[in-house]
Amino acid sequence: RKEVEQDPGPFNVPEGATVAFNCTYSNSASQSFFWYRQDCRKEPKLLMSVYSSGNEDGRFTAQLNRASQYISLLIRDSKLSDSATYLCVVIRRGSQGNLIFGKGTKLSVKP
Amino acid sequence: GAVVSQHPSRVICKSGTSVKIECRSLDFQATTMFWYRQFPKQSLMLMATSNEGSKATYEQGVEKDKFLINHASLTLSTLTVTSAHPEDSSFYICSANPGRGLTSTDTQYFGPGTRLTVL
């Protein structure tokens, strides 16, 4: 079983739609959690950190449920420019800070 | 924000040759840099952790004699793919932590990646 699991999609949604991505992690020693965005053939870019109290940044809301080892990302009012692959990422407690990536969920926003 | 550069951005080489990829932190010092590899439609996988002034730590299954890592200064780490073969063709990405006292919550900044194609 992979340490970080995501539904690969693709999610094809119209502009303006609300879309939710889920992610589960298997290692309870995971300490830090992030969502990254990766455009085709580019490096990943940090979208936001994820906290148990929830974290909102504009149209993006991330949530962590430590008991269920579950992370979510909600995108409201989708834009064409949101089309990308969204990577769920964790860091294990006690590690040197290396990131453990999920395979990513592909989002395609259509006009 | 912090910037990490990689060079070259793309390389095509013949089987059996060695390829060196540079990763530089441009406006901060990084005692630790990470090297990742991403095959098509796969997740980024950590290959090794590069520590300034000491030997790199390799992940299980990554051959240290094939993927040579040198972190000679606080702003430069190099990855050399020795005797490259077609199965080494991949997207190689480095990242660096700006913080000196590493904690697992330090933000990482990624280089733009190097696309290696071995013919």
Side-chain angles (χ1 to χ4, degrees):
Chain A
R1 184 190 172 189
K2 295 225 180 272
E3 190 160 347
V4 180
E5 300 243 35
Q6 293 180 251
D7 179 347
F11 284 60
N12 297 309
V13 303
E15 262 187 297
T18 295
V19 61
F21 303 139
N22 303 320
C23 167
T24 56
Y25 61 97
S26 60
N27 192 329
S28 59
S30 300
Q31 180 172 356
S32 302
F33 309 88
F34 309 90
W35 282 102
Y36 275 74
R37 169 196 169 127
Q38 186 175 27
D39 292 285
C40 190
R41 303 173 81 84
K42 299 282 188 184
E43 78 276 21
K45 294 205 162 113
L46 179 65
L47 183 65
M48 58 200 306
S49 301
V50 190
Y51 309 109
S52 298
S53 55
N55 187 23
E56 186 172 318
D57 183 3
R59 298 181 293 109
F60 299 84
T61 301
Q63 190 73 51
L64 165 67
N65 184 321
R66 285 189 184 269
S68 305
Q69 294 183 190
Y70 173 91
I71 304 162
S72 64
L73 176 68
L74 184 75
I75 305 176
R76 290 180 298 276
D77 189 23
S78 301
K79 311 289 184 195
L80 297 177
S81 57
D82 294 334
S83 297
T85 297
Y86 290 83
L87 308 173
C88 178
V89 183
V90 306
I91 295 179
R92 287 191 211 121
R93 184 179 298 115
S95 72
Q96 279 191 279
N98 57 282
L99 304 178
I100 301 168
F101 287 85
K103 213 167 168 179
T105 299
K106 187 170 181 180
L107 171 66
S108 181
V109 182
K110 307 289 188 186
Chain B
V3 177
V4 175
S5 72
Q6 263 183 260
H7 177 80
S9 58
R10 186 184 178 97
V11 60
I12 301 172
C13 69
K14 291 182 180 178
S15 186
T17 59
S18 292
V19 175
K20 181 189 275 190
I21 303 170
E22 292 186 350
C23 177
R24 291 182 187 273
S25 56
L26 297 184
D27 52 0
F28 64 94
Q29 294 182 329
T31 53
T32 301
M33 290 183 174
F34 301 96
W35 286 97
Y36 296 84
R37 178 169 56 181
Q38 186 177 32
F39 292 106
K41 298 187 188 299
Q42 299 296 316
S43 55
L44 276 85
M45 295 295 294
L46 179 68
M47 298 176 66
T49 302
S50 172
N51 301 297
E52 187 267 336
S54 65
K55 290 183 180 179
T57 306
Y58 289 83
E59 294 299 297
Q60 194 172 11
V62 178
E63 299 174 57
K64 63 180 181 182
D65 295 329
K66 181 169 179 66
F67 298 99
L68 302 178
I69 290 173
N70 188 333
H71 195 151
S73 78
L74 286 169
T75 58
L76 173 64
S77 175
T78 60
L79 168 69
T80 301
V81 183
T82 61
S83 187
H85 288 97
E87 57 266 29
D88 298 322
S89 299
S90 189
F91 190 45
Y92 292 85
I93 309 177
C94 70
S95 72
N97 274 325
R100 260 196 99 85
L102 287 170
T103 68
S104 62
T105 57
D106 278 355
T107 301
Q108 284 191 32
Y109 295 91
F110 282 86
T114 297
R115 194 159 298 279
L116 171 64
T117 303
V118 185
L119 303 175

